[in-house]
Amino acid sequence: QVQLVESGGELVQAGASLRLSCAASGLTFSSYAMGWFRQAPGKGREFVAAMSISSSTAYADSVKGRFTISRDNAKNTVYLQMNRLKPEDTAIYYCAARLLTIARITADYDYWGQGTQVTVSS
């Protein structure tokens, strides 16, 4: 049974930094591309960042230069380092897994976590 468990979300002020973690189990982590998505109240789930099995990366334009995705295959964990947070980054952040390559579309991912809340106050 595949499980993805996010952690690290909290309430912070604008300009602060946070690091989200997503611990995976029940899959061969090194064979899966990992993605981060977010969903703000009243909006759809949107792509944030992804990393392939070869560590190539992709970012949404809105977070490029502020967020960094990384993975530790020894710990079966993917991270999202978020710097210079803005109120518009407020959302539930989800990690997701799919085989091998990066994708930006939610439907392309096979497994999802339950999400962690990030709230950025102005």
Side-chain angles (χ1 to χ4, degrees), residues 96-109:
R98 71 185 300 270
L99 280 171
L100 302 179
T101 58
I102 289 171
R104 295 173 179 257
I105 301 172
T106 57
D108 287 342
Y109 284 80

Side-chain angles (χ1 to χ4, degrees), residues 2 4 26-35 50-54 56 71 96-112:
V2 175
L4 303 177
L27 52 69
T28 304
F29 184 75
S30 58
S31 296
Y32 281 78
M34 301 299 297
M51 177 173 271
S52 74
I53 62 169
S54 61
S56 59
R71 64 190 296 159
R98 71 185 300 270
L99 280 171
L100 302 179
T101 58
I102 289 171
R104 295 173 179 257
I105 301 172
T106 57
D108 287 342
Y109 284 80
D110 300 310
Y111 303 106
W112 290 86

Side-chain angles (χ1 to χ4, degrees), residues 65-113:
R66 297 188 299 124
F67 291 11
T68 303
I69 187 171
S70 62
R71 64 190 296 159
D72 185 338
N73 287 347
K75 295 183 178 180
N76 287 2
T77 300
V78 61
Y79 305 97
L80 185 68
Q81 177 67 43
M82 305 187 295
N83 298 328
R84 303 196 308 277
L85 282 160
K86 304 175 181 180
E88 51 264 44
D89 295 319
T90 295
I92 299 174
Y93 283 71
Y94 299 90
C95 72
R98 71 185 300 270
L99 280 171
L100 302 179
T101 58
I102 289 171
R104 295 173 179 257
I105 301 172
T106 57
D108 287 342
Y109 284 80
D110 300 310
Y111 303 106
W112 290 86

